[in-house]
Amino acid sequence: MARKRNANRNAGTPTLADVARLAGMSEITVSRVVRNQGPIADATRTRVLAAIAQLGYIPNRAAGSLASAASTLMTVILPSLSNIVFPDVLRGIHTAITETAFQPVIGVTDYDPLIEERILLSFLAWQPAAVILAGLHHTPTARKHLEQGRFRVAELMDIDGDPVDIAVGMSHRQAGYETGRHLIKRGYRKFGYAGHMLVHDDRAKARYEGLCTALQEAGLSLVAEMRSPGGGSTIAGRELLEKLLAAHPDLDVVIFPNDDMAMGGIFHCMHAGIAIKERLGLFGFNGLDIGQVMPLPLSTILSKRFLIGKTAAEKLLESRERPAEKTIINTGFDIIEGGTA
Amino acid sequence: MARKRNANRNAGTPTLADVARLAGMSEITVSRVVRNQGPIADATRTRVLAAIAQLGYIPNRAAGSLASAASTLMTVILPSLSNIVFPDVLRGIHTAITETAFQPVIGVTDYDPLIEERILLSFLAWQPAAVILAGLHHTPTARKHLEQGRFRVAELMDIDGDPVDIAVGMSHRQAGYETGRHLIKRGYRKFGYAGHMLVHDDRAKARYEGLCTALQEAGLSLVAEMRSPGGGSTIAGRELLEKLLAAHPDLDVVIFPNDDMAMGGIFHCMHAGIAIKERLGLFGFNGLDIGQVMPLPLSTILSKRFLIGKTAAEKLLESRERPAEKTIINTGFDIIEGGTA
DNA sequence: GTATTTTATGGTAGCGCTGTCATTATTCTT
DNA sequence: AAGAATAATGACAGCGCTACCATAAAATAC
């Protein structure tokens, strides 16, 4: 019976109708006050707000979403949370939407496009207002949904490719290339690469390729490379550099796919008494704070993660509609000369 | 007119009714298949799943939530994302729920209980299945909602207090106390504290108080303390230690509220040529990886952040109902002796 | 002073799904 | 073989809200 159902639910949860009754207005008027939409007389607004406060009314967003076929949720799907990089992006997003009605729903893919697809579909069930993901590479199914959905899409970090709507990030290929150019200019000639095995980390791969291109153009090539089977942690960087140098003691510079690993490299050198920069150059990527506070600041490339997140979210807030044209926002990067290469 | 409305929405979004029609079943049966609920004949399930696949049906969770007065959303409200600590917690939560239907919605409070309250209320509009927050201290309004809501509540990090339902964490007061005992045992006598000004960081405060208690019991007290106006970053730790030592050169050990600041302390000593441990002990909190990989591993306390997040989420998954009794899960902490104190 | 626009409010019909109660086939008891 | 329990499915109302249209009152136009 309907009454039973009501009894179960309504236990102390006031609805629009309750507010309307108390304020002596219709439901739709209360709804308009709540949503700040349409013309409302000041007196009416005051009365309604008083009733809302008195009852402690909390709007039911599920009902609202259902009725309007739209929600205030912003789907954020990131590859990882292990490293501060993506929390930084998330922080940027949060900063942009903190004063808006948007609420971020988070998914983590572990760099796996199939997991990304699964998470995306499960989140689309909420009719999100916008979707943010990392990178430009998704499964065909995911891409299809992203293109056909009634929501805006921002793809972060990477701009080397064809975005669905909006891409915000930097060219990782170029970053790798500039890294190579920079180090060649500094006089390094025997390049080593100490990477990781995250096969789906497209951006690390793009930087690697950019680096190789720069070397090639200068008639050089990687003398040695190794990849740590785990991930890209500091400890992995430390151990990997040790192994790399054991096999190739003649290297004069080693590039890491991120600052965490590069710092591990610094620690190995400190421990093994290797003169950083003079005897062996070390170069990272990301420009983490900690690398810059060290007595010998890490030479690296500053990626603007917070800015990427913030810019993307702001761009998504600009309009409710999908943009007619694709937009690519290049947040660029800075080479931090540092003291290690 | 209804037709117009339909036309706008239905643009390519199949509903349960569409699936039911195609499969030749009733809507409720399709719903049961989707939710894996109730007895369904194998043949029926197969037929329905085929229809779902054919149409690319995605259930509308807003409608489902409205009808059932329950959602699959898990509200996660954290103080900050700037430091890896809370992303670690979030990672633990995500690990626990990744194979379930739960989806985390994230809020960040900047350690402000009023912002926490605002975020909580806005999230309750989704009728979440569970709420996770940090700490045991909330505004009265927030506490009231947490106690009366139709969802389970987990309060993380801290267990010194009275939880709503479930608390998962450690005693920060005890951690501070043990820090003091440990350093006294090591022979340190002239204690300095290099903190920050996050007034709402209750846990740093509890550790500080525990430390003071330990000193007092040994007839000692803090010789000097300073607080950096910014936050608890590595650079702040480095600058603060320099200032602290300039004013109080006789200190023989300095405690920091977190590893980030303590590492800043290490860097200052390295730069200034101060013999760490012999001349000046340094002690942190958190047990971050990076501190342990340094040539001189940081002396600190390992807080089990990932475990806290994971345990809490698992506990919340155990039952759909609010627990009859309060539960406190102490994940404990480990003193890492390290090499800096 | 009437026509037109603007401002403020309400009635009503769903949105897409699930809870509740029935109903019919099937299997198990004794 | 009749009765009881179980398995499998369906009808239907309604969750709480908002889009859509309509209407009344006030302001403005000419």
Side-chain angles (χ1 to χ4, degrees):
Chain A
M1 242 153 280
R3 250 154 285 120
K4 213 178 212 170
R5 192 163 174 181
N6 271 351
N8 248 345
R9 304 184 149 234
N10 259 352
T13 315
T15 68
L16 255 199
D18 297 326
V19 176
R21 207 171 303 124
L22 180 61
M25 310 297 297
S26 71
E27 294 185 34
I28 187 68
T29 301
V30 176
S31 172
R32 289 196 183 108
V33 171
V34 169
R35 287 178 294 150
N36 239 323
Q37 216 237 46
I40 298 285
D42 282 348
T44 304
R45 185 191 310 279
T46 309
R47 230 149 43 125
V48 169
L49 290 178
I52 287 175
Q54 189 181 329
L55 294 176
Y57 168 70
I58 296 179
N60 183 327
R61 289 301 314 141
S65 284
L66 178 60
S68 65
S71 82
T72 54
L73 296 176
M74 184 179 268
T75 290
V76 180
I77 304 179
L78 301 173
S80 161
L81 290 171
S82 302
N83 185 289
I84 196 67
V85 169
F86 291 107
D88 275 348
V89 173
L90 190 52
R91 205 158 48 82
I93 294 169
H94 205 275
T95 299
I97 68 176
T98 190
E99 294 299 325
T100 73
F102 288 95
Q103 299 159 324
V105 189
I106 308 294
V108 178
T109 68
D110 277 322
Y111 290 96
D112 183 337
L114 285 172
I115 298 181
E116 184 185 72
E117 175 187 312
R118 182 166 62 74
I119 293 176
L120 175 65
L121 295 191
S122 79
F123 284 176
L124 293 188
W126 291 103
Q127 322 225 109
V131 174
I132 294 181
L133 334 86
L136 297 157
H137 174 237
H138 319 288
T139 68
T141 304
R143 176 91 192 196
K144 202 190 85 201
H145 278 101
L146 292 172
E147 277 168 352
Q148 296 179 354
R150 289 161 40 79
F151 46 78
R152 286 144 291 154
V153 177
E155 291 164 284
L156 306 195
M157 316 314 286
D158 208 347
I159 57 170
D160 296 330
D162 177 36
V164 174
D165 282 354
I166 303 167
V168 183
M170 50 173 276
S171 168
H172 287 260
R173 179 173 293 277
Q174 196 194 337
Y177 183 82
E178 298 287 346
T179 299
R181 297 293 312 153
H182 176 76
L183 294 172
I184 292 167
K185 208 189 305 163
R186 289 261 162 155
Y188 293 107
R189 288 298 176 267
K190 302 203 166 151
F191 284 74
Y193 181 82
H196 54 57
M197 303 257 271
L198 301 174
V199 285
H200 289 298
D201 188 341
D202 300 326
R203 290 168 287 286
K205 199 170 147 220
R207 296 194 296 274
Y208 172 83
E209 290 169 0
L211 171 67
C212 290
T213 304
L215 295 186
Q216 225 170 311
E217 285 180 11
L220 298 168
S221 67
L222 283 179
V223 175
E225 64 183 284
M226 284 188 184
R227 283 158 206 275
S228 93
S233 66
T234 304
I235 182 75
R238 182 169 176 174
E239 290 168 355
L240 193 60
L241 182 60
E242 185 171 8
K243 268 203 265 180
L244 194 60
L245 290 179
H248 299 273
D250 56 327
L251 291 175
D252 63 11
V253 63
V254 174
I255 292 104
F256 297 83
N258 61 47
D259 279 8
D260 302 74
M261 292 188 76
M263 291 196 53
I266 293 182
F267 296 151
H268 169 68
C269 290
M270 285 168 65
H271 194 78
I274 299 169
I276 296 173
K277 189 172 185 178
E278 289 82 39
R279 165 68 195 81
L280 183 73
L282 300 172
F283 203 93
F285 178 82
N286 267 335
L288 300 189
D289 287 347
I290 187 133
Q292 299 313 306
V293 184
M294 302 221 300
L296 198 61
L298 179 62
S299 300
T300 185
I301 283 187
L302 177 67
S303 65
K304 303 176 180 175
R305 305 162 310 263
F306 179 86
L307 179 66
I308 288 174
K310 184 156 165 284
T311 306
E314 284 170 353
K315 195 77 193 164
L316 290 174
L317 292 175
E318 274 179 12
S319 135
R320 306 232 49 153
E321 304 298 319
R322 295 192 70 128
E325 296 180 0
K326 302 188 178 197
T327 311
I328 293 181
I329 300 178
N330 187 354
T331 52
F333 55 82
D334 299 333
I335 293 186
I336 300 180
E337 302 212 342
T340 66
Chain B
M1 241 152 278
R3 248 153 287 122
K4 213 179 210 169
R5 191 165 176 177
N6 272 351
N8 248 344
R9 302 184 150 234
N10 261 351
T13 314
T15 69
L16 255 199
D18 298 325
V19 177
R21 208 170 304 123
L22 180 61
M25 309 298 297
S26 70
E27 294 186 33
I28 188 69
T29 301
V30 176
S31 171
R32 289 194 183 111
V33 171
V34 169
R35 285 178 295 152
N36 238 323
Q37 216 235 48
I40 298 285
D42 282 349
T44 305
R45 184 190 312 277
T46 309
R47 228 147 46 123
V48 169
L49 290 178
I52 287 175
Q54 189 181 331
L55 293 175
Y57 168 69
I58 296 179
N60 182 328
R61 288 302 313 142
S65 285
L66 178 59
S68 66
S71 82
T72 54
L73 296 176
M74 184 180 268
T75 291
V76 180
I77 305 179
L78 301 173
S80 161
L81 290 172
S82 302
N83 185 289
I84 195 67
V85 169
F86 291 107
D88 275 348
V89 173
L90 189 53
R91 205 158 46 84
I93 294 169
H94 205 274
T95 300
I97 67 176
T98 189
E99 292 300 325
T100 73
F102 289 95
Q103 298 159 323
V105 189
I106 308 294
V108 178
T109 68
D110 276 323
Y111 290 96
D112 183 338
L114 286 172
I115 297 181
E116 184 185 72
E117 176 187 314
R118 182 165 62 73
I119 292 176
L120 175 66
L121 295 190
S122 79
F123 283 176
L124 293 188
W126 290 104
Q127 323 223 108
V131 174
I132 294 180
L133 336 85
L136 297 157
H137 174 238
H138 318 289
T139 68
T141 303
R143 176 91 191 194
K144 201 190 86 202
H145 277 101
L146 291 173
E147 277 167 353
Q148 296 179 353
R150 289 161 40 77
F151 45 78
R152 286 144 289 154
V153 177
E155 292 163 284
L156 304 195
M157 315 315 284
D158 208 348
I159 57 169
D160 296 330
D162 178 35
V164 174
D165 282 353
I166 303 167
V168 182
M170 50 172 276
S171 168
H172 286 260
R173 179 172 293 277
Q174 197 194 337
Y177 183 83
E178 299 288 346
T179 299
R181 296 293 312 154
H182 177 77
L183 294 173
I184 292 168
K185 207 189 305 165
R186 290 260 162 155
Y188 293 109
R189 289 297 176 268
K190 300 198 168 158
F191 284 73
Y193 182 82
H196 54 57
M197 304 257 271
L198 301 173
V199 285
H200 289 298
D201 188 342
D202 301 327
R203 291 169 287 285
K205 199 169 147 221
R207 296 194 295 274
Y208 172 83
E209 290 168 1
L211 171 68
C212 291
T213 304
L215 295 186
Q216 224 171 317
E217 285 181 10
L220 299 169
S221 66
L222 282 179
V223 175
E225 63 184 284
M226 283 189 182
R227 280 157 207 277
S228 93
S233 66
T234 304
I235 182 77
R238 181 170 178 174
E239 289 169 354
L240 194 59
L241 182 61
E242 183 170 10
K243 267 203 265 179
L244 195 60
L245 289 178
H248 302 272
D250 56 328
L251 291 174
D252 62 11
V253 64
V254 174
I255 291 102
F256 298 83
N258 61 48
D259 279 7
D260 302 73
M261 292 188 76
M263 292 196 51
I266 293 181
F267 295 150
H268 170 68
C269 290
M270 286 168 63
H271 194 77
I274 299 168
I276 295 172
K277 188 172 185 177
E278 290 81 39
R279 168 67 196 82
L280 183 73
L282 300 173
F283 204 91
F285 178 81
N286 266 334
L288 300 189
D289 287 346
I290 188 137
Q292 298 313 306
V293 183
M294 302 221 301
L296 200 61
L298 179 61
S299 300
T300 184
I301 283 186
L302 177 66
S303 64
K304 303 174 180 175
R305 308 163 306 267
F306 179 85
L307 180 65
I308 289 174
K310 183 156 165 284
T311 306
E314 283 170 353
K315 194 80 191 160
L316 290 175
L317 292 176
E318 274 180 13
S319 136
R320 305 232 49 150
E321 304 299 318
R322 295 191 70 128
E325 296 179 0
K326 302 187 180 199
T327 310
I328 293 181
I329 299 177
N330 187 353
T331 52
F333 55 83
D334 300 332
I335 294 186
I336 300 179
E337 301 212 342
T340 66

